[in-house]
Amino acid sequence: MGKQQTDIDNVVRRLVDYVNSNEVRVDPDDVMRSWFGVSRAVRVNRRRRVYRRVALLLTASAAMIVLFVGFPFLRPSAVDSADSIKDYAMQNLPMSDSDNDNIVLMISDNERIDVEKEEAEIVYTAQGDLTVNSDTVSAKPKSVDAVAAPVYSQLIVPKGRRSQLLLSDGTRVWVNSGTRVVYPQEFATDRREVIVEGEAYLEVASDVARPFTVITRDFNVCVTGTSFNVSAYPMEPEASVVLVGGRVTVDNGKGEHVALVPGQYLAVDSAGVFGTPVDVDVVPYVSWIHNMLIYSNEPLAEVFKKLELYYGCRFAVDPIVSEMRVSGKLDLKKSLDEVISVITYSAPIVCAEEEGFIYVRPE
């Protein structure tokens, strides 16, 4: 698998070189949507790799080729400079490494920090200093030019890992497993923008003069100071926003927007179409930041999907089991074996590990 991934990475790098050398052009918003779609397709195929190992290489390579073939419409700034956070995110696509399950912090184009622990606490100060799990790292840009291009970073949290990120404005971000966050080391004077691919809970520091925007695959969440959860995994057909406190506006880039009040849930499909805001108990949606999984009358398929992310394991769930509905609470600080024991005690199922999968069948 390592050689296959190397082949994919080499193909992608050659395509990027071709794009840059030919000054091809495309709209950055279209490219962002294309990347998220490609990422979703590749990840779905990876979940099936035990059955189609050879097909994975072809699928991933073809997906990347589709992405870069669209580049003839890219504006020059999107390939020549990283003037916007979307430009940076497209120029610095993360290359997957099947042998590395560490949390990765990219603090510059050539500076990378790997965190081997299950969780990482990353803190930026208003002065631009950075600490990772209390270890000080120099991350302040050397330039003092007031109009210098912003310096962006990205945090990549694989399955089975989690992270907390304190941004330079005081905004705190809890980053769930299988998530990528792109952000500036220091925010601009007129706006604050981050990109989330996956799931994150944010407590946004209030700053009326600098609105805060979370950019996802299909929508943007705009706030000035509030607490909310955003879930936008590329491999999922539906994304969501849950507002805990304050007020947010969600727009889909098509001139449509929805304002939420605390205690509301909004679903957004992969085409950016909004559902109707629904009043919910927000606790189950944000319990993951406290290492808890709370579920009420939820299909077991969804419960095991969340456990896959949290523990970095793989479940193969029998269709009969998938439709079983359960309610309960799981302490995710416990081992996976202990958590599975709790589930099997409350539902008529059996679990057995075989060839890297945990098979879940009816009792």
Side-chain angles (χ1 to χ4, degrees), residues 150-164:
V151 178
Y152 296 107
S153 296
Q154 59 179 314
L155 176 63
I156 303 164
V157 181
K159 288 184 177 182
R161 303 287 188 265
R162 288 150 299 282
S163 185
Q164 286 191 43

Side-chain angles (χ1 to χ4, degrees), residues 182-226:
V182 180
Y183 58 92
Q185 293 178 9
E186 295 181 274
F187 287 109
T189 57
D190 59 342
R191 66 187 182 279
R192 297 173 290 169
E193 295 177 325
V194 302
I195 291 175
V196 172
E197 179 189 348
E199 184 170 27
Y201 174 76
L202 299 93
E203 291 183 351
V204 178
S206 181
D207 188 340
V208 176
R210 294 190 298 173
F212 193 104
T213 302
V214 176
I215 301 167
T216 77
R217 177 188 69 208
D218 302 309
F219 59 89
N220 298 333
V221 185
C222 305
V223 303
T224 54
T226 187

Side-chain angles (χ1 to χ4, degrees), residues 23 38 82 135 150 173 186 211 236 239 344 349 362:
E23 298 183 355
V38 168
D135 293 330
V173 186
E186 295 181 274
E236 295 297 330
T344 56
I349 61 174

Side-chain angles (χ1 to χ4, degrees), residues 9-25:
D9 292 351
N10 288 337
V11 169
V12 172
R13 290 190 182 97
R14 288 199 298 270
L15 287 169
V16 172
D17 290 340
Y18 170 81
V19 168
N20 289 336
S21 64
N22 287 274
E23 298 183 355
V24 289
R25 311 173 180 236

